[in-house]
Amino acid sequence: MNTLDWCILFGTLLSIVLYGTWKTRGNKNIDGYLKGDNSMRWWMMGVSIMATQASAITFLSTPGQAIEDGMRFLQFYFGLPIAMVIISITMVPIYYKLKVFTAYEYLESRFDLKTRLLAAILFLILRGLSAGITLFAPALVLSTILGWPTPFTTMLIGGFVIIYVTAGGTKAVSLTQRQQMAVIMGGMILAGILAYTMLPKQVSFTDTVKLAGSLGRMNIINTEFNLNDRYNIWSGLIAGTFLFLSYFGTDQSQVSRYLTGTSITESRLGLIFNGLLKIPMQFMILFIGVLVFVFYLFNQPPVFHNVVLKERAMQTPQGRQLQAYEQQYDVLYAEKRQSVDRLVEAIHHDDDAQVNVLKEEVKGLEARERVLRDSVRATIATAVPGAKVQDRDYIFLNFVLQHLPNGIIGLLLAVIFSAAMSSMAGELNALASTTTVDIYKRSLKAEASAKHYLRASQGFTVLWALLAMVFAMLATFAENLIQFVNIVGSLFYGTILGIFLTAFYLKRVQANAVFWAAIIAEGVVLFCYYSFREEIAFLLYNVIGCGVVIILSLIFQVFAKRTHSA
């Protein structure tokens, strides 16, 4: 990185922070701080909803997911439009009618205080962990690539977020997310265009798509029903609908976004806007990953994408073994490049028979590459104990740093920082509002001035930010980050959704029945995860948690009624 990159990076971030702080200065009460005085228009809410969900993990991990596994991750979002329609029809009117600050206030009016607190605590655990993961992704990657200490990058991102969220609350989050999404989407589109323009001149756009498709990277739809498969059309439409019903309908980080609307209609339009645009946005990000995959067919990628970690390992006694692996990799790539060139030629001549032969040849060489990379990871793990050797999250960032021109590098690093700040800001605001309204104000200090609750909300924002920073500095994750954050959500969202669906649709079920059903359901989900994580796709935990809550609530209510009658 040169001076231009640094100027673009910090200039972009500082302008966003200063804009959000200036535009939302002077909040005088908790209503303005947590609900933005209900002044948001539908398009602003739609952007804010997407920005809260689209963290740095999305832009770091999703292209790597496409490079390694193809486009099938897109099916994860197929249930989103269905969920948006259901939430708009059923949940939004109830929240507006009750004029709630948080979704969990409704549960007390429907059930009782302990059920409200249970749902709020489950949310705080879930979103607190997720905030740490959201911060961990860019902090770890950028510290590794740029050579900065992880605590410094963690505190840098967290500090920027604290400044404008504490000053402006929900309105600051929504306003700055507009600027951040503009930077994010502009930077990602530019990266995709540059990846394509750097391909050999004889490779057209059609050739690029055909080449990626022949090597299994355009696998958008899989209609096979398989409980072990994380991403197919059935898991997306069924389990994905449950996940997004819970995330957008009961997660305060999203509910707080559309509760800022000027009316029910505006909030509904914001949700539908998100439902219609999210899938195309994810398609674009995944396709950028596919373009980078094709780029690396013609340009040799590193054998291990976390280059800084590999250099550390090279300084150990295992360095000689790593050098031997790199030499083997050079030979293997040269062989694969020849096969890829012949495959492109066969595509140009529409020689289907030769295409089939050559694509199998390239896939075979890719399989040998994977075996070699696994050996490199194992060697690095031995050389640097405790290091994170899963390098999928570094593929796209490594492409940016190694192959894009100066200036663009700074812009795309600003994309990563902006996405982290955008998502974390929404999470911190939701954590603060739930802690203040559902726990502090309801159970600890019921009578106080509006200014006191405003200061309490700001204090809880800082507290949760500090906890997220600590968690990010201490945490290590084996999973690909985009998958890990969704796994964490699936462990809790099903239970929370079950509570809300019972509240909405099972009017005869009372508080004790749903409370104990939810506790048991969460235990069942955690047991299934630890016992059958390889056998059950993580999206199905949403269905399991929700289903157990609903079924046990009905059973417990029947028993309670019989006991009362007796």
Side-chain angles (χ1 to χ4, degrees):
M1 289 180 63
N2 63 11
T3 304
L4 177 61
D5 292 315
W6 291 114
C7 290
I8 291 174
L9 171 59
F10 285 106
T12 301
L13 298 181
L14 283 173
S15 64
I16 290 172
V17 171
L18 293 175
Y19 175 79
T21 304
W22 172 257
K23 290 286 286 185
T24 57
R25 65 195 185 281
N27 274 320
K28 295 181 174 59
N29 56 55
I30 193 173
D31 192 73
Y33 187 74
L34 297 183
K35 295 178 71 177
D37 294 316
N38 292 103
S39 59
M40 298 292 112
R41 298 300 305 273
W42 65 268
W43 62 270
M44 190 184 296
M45 280 186 288
V47 170
S48 185
I49 290 167
M50 283 195 293
T52 298
Q53 186 185 18
S55 69
I57 296 171
T58 302
F59 303 100
L60 284 171
S61 282
T62 306
Q65 181 82 11
I67 292 166
E68 297 275 315
D69 195 41
M71 299 278 289
R72 70 192 191 102
F73 180 66
L74 186 68
Q75 296 167 111
F76 174 78
Y77 294 94
F78 283 1
L80 179 59
I82 301 171
M84 294 299 95
V85 172
I86 295 172
I87 292 168
S88 297
I89 293 172
T90 60
M91 298 183 180
V92 172
I94 292 174
Y95 293 150
Y96 266 87
K97 181 181 179 181
L98 297 176
K99 297 181 179 179
V100 296
F101 284 99
T102 74
Y104 316 110
E105 288 182 85
Y106 163 69
L107 294 178
E108 183 174 4
S109 64
R110 171 64 177 83
F111 294 122
D112 60 6
L113 177 59
K114 69 177 184 294
T115 306
R116 172 184 178 178
L117 290 176
L118 174 62
I121 290 169
L122 287 174
F123 164 75
L124 291 174
I125 294 170
L126 158 66
R127 192 47 55 199
L129 290 172
S130 296
I133 300 169
T134 299
L135 185 55
F136 171 82
L140 177 66
V141 174
L142 291 174
S143 70
T144 302
I145 298 297
L146 302 178
W148 297 351
T150 303
F152 177 75
T153 54
T154 300
M155 289 186 289
L156 179 68
I157 299 171
F160 275 136
V161 175
I162 286 174
I163 291 171
Y164 69 83
V165 176
T166 302
T170 289
K171 195 170 183 179
V173 173
S174 297
L175 286 173
T176 54
Q177 281 175 334
R178 285 186 298 170
Q179 326 303 324
Q180 287 162 332
M181 281 300 287
V183 172
I184 288 166
M185 297 313 299
M188 292 300 291
I189 291 170
L190 184 58
I193 292 171
L194 290 173
Y196 172 68
T197 59
M198 289 188 290
L199 294 176
K201 291 183 179 179
Q202 73 271 19
V203 180
S204 67
F205 184 78
T206 302
D207 295 335
T208 301
V209 174
K210 288 182 177 179
L211 192 57
S214 65
L215 297 177
R217 296 313 191 275
M218 297 300 292
N219 51 345
I220 298 176
I221 303 293
N222 176 16
T223 58
E224 180 184 358
F225 186 82
N226 184 350
L227 292 178
N228 295 329
D229 187 7
R230 289 179 172 181
Y231 308 117
N232 58 54
I233 193 170
W234 308 113
S235 64
L237 287 174
I238 300 172
T241 299
F242 278 82
L243 173 63
F244 291 122
L245 276 174
S246 187
Y247 179 54
F248 290 98
T250 71
D251 188 313
Q252 183 60 23
S253 68
Q254 287 295 348
V255 174
S256 61
R257 303 276 71 78
Y258 55 80
L259 285 182
T260 61
T262 57
S263 66
I264 292 178
T265 301
E266 294 285 329
S267 294
R268 284 171 165 168
L269 287 172
L271 285 168
I272 298 301
F273 175 80
N274 174 64
L276 293 176
L277 287 190
K278 181 65 176 179
I279 293 176
M281 186 184 87
Q282 288 299 133
F283 178 89
M284 183 199 74
I285 296 169
L286 285 164
F287 190 71
I288 290 169
V290 170
L291 291 174
V292 174
F293 164 76
V294 176
F295 171 84
Y296 276 136
L297 290 176
F298 298 97
N299 300 270
Q300 183 173 344
V303 68
F304 186 73
H305 287 276
N306 188 340
V307 178
V308 175
L309 179 58
K310 190 193 75 174
E311 290 303 316
R312 286 177 58 194
M314 292 292 285
Q315 307 304 315
T316 69
Q318 284 73 31
R320 184 171 297 178
Q321 180 63 59
L322 289 172
Q323 282 184 329
Y325 284 142
E326 284 197 308
Q327 291 171 0
Q328 295 176 41
Y329 182 68
D330 291 343
V331 173
L332 190 57
Y333 173 77
E335 185 179 349
K336 188 178 80 169
R337 173 60 195 271
Q338 292 177 358
S339 298
V340 169
D341 287 339
R342 294 200 303 271
L343 177 57
V344 172
E345 188 175 345
I347 290 172
H348 284 164
H349 291 89
D350 293 323
D351 188 343
D352 292 338
Q354 189 68 0
V355 166
N356 290 330
V357 170
L358 288 169
K359 77 177 183 182
E360 293 304 321
E361 184 176 307
V362 174
K363 287 180 180 178
L365 292 167
E366 285 185 328
R368 289 169 58 189
E369 279 186 344
R370 283 193 293 272
V371 171
L372 188 57
R373 284 198 175 109
D374 287 341
S375 299
V376 170
R377 291 189 187 100
T379 304
I380 292 176
T382 302
V384 187
K388 184 177 184 289
V389 295
Q390 193 287 104
D391 65 334
R392 181 183 292 181
D393 299 319
Y394 295 81
I395 299 176
F396 180 68
L397 190 58
N398 193 50
F399 163 76
V400 169
L401 292 172
Q402 298 299 321
H403 299 285
L404 296 189
N406 291 325
I408 304 301
I409 294 174
L411 175 63
L412 287 170
L413 288 180
V415 165
I416 294 167
F417 272 114
S418 294
M421 291 164 55
S422 173
S423 184
M424 189 180 175
E427 291 173 330
L428 291 180
N429 187 254
L431 288 165
S433 61
T434 302
T435 307
T436 303
V437 174
D438 293 298
I439 296 178
Y440 182 74
K441 184 179 180 182
R442 179 62 183 84
S443 300
L444 300 178
K445 196 172 184 66
E447 299 294 333
S449 66
K451 186 175 182 180
H452 174 84
Y453 290 126
L454 173 62
R455 294 288 176 258
S457 298
Q458 293 170 328
F460 285 128
T461 300
V462 175
L463 175 63
W464 279 109
L466 294 175
L467 288 174
M469 290 182 201
V470 171
F471 183 66
M473 284 187 248
L474 297 178
T476 57
F477 306 110
E479 282 274 355
N480 169 256
L481 289 170
I482 190 69
Q483 295 190 86
F484 190 84
V485 73
N486 288 321
I487 290 172
V488 170
S490 295
L491 295 179
F492 295 93
Y493 277 137
T495 301
I496 298 173
L497 178 62
I499 296 172
F500 275 86
L501 291 183
T502 302
F504 290 140
Y505 300 114
L506 303 178
K507 298 300 183 182
R508 296 183 180 181
V509 175
Q510 301 302 309
N512 285 334
V514 73
F515 178 81
W516 292 110
I519 290 177
I520 294 171
E522 190 57 39
V524 169
V525 170
L526 294 175
F527 172 78
C528 288
Y529 175 70
Y530 285 107
S531 300
F532 307 107
R533 69 178 74 182
E534 300 299 328
E535 289 78 19
I536 301 176
F538 71 84
L539 278 174
L540 293 176
Y541 295 129
N542 298 281
V543 181
I544 293 171
C546 182
V548 171
V549 171
I550 292 173
I551 292 169
L552 288 184
S553 294
L554 291 170
I555 293 172
F556 290 166
Q557 188 60 42
V558 170
F559 275 107
K561 186 176 181 180
R562 289 180 179 177
T563 302
H564 182 74
S565 299

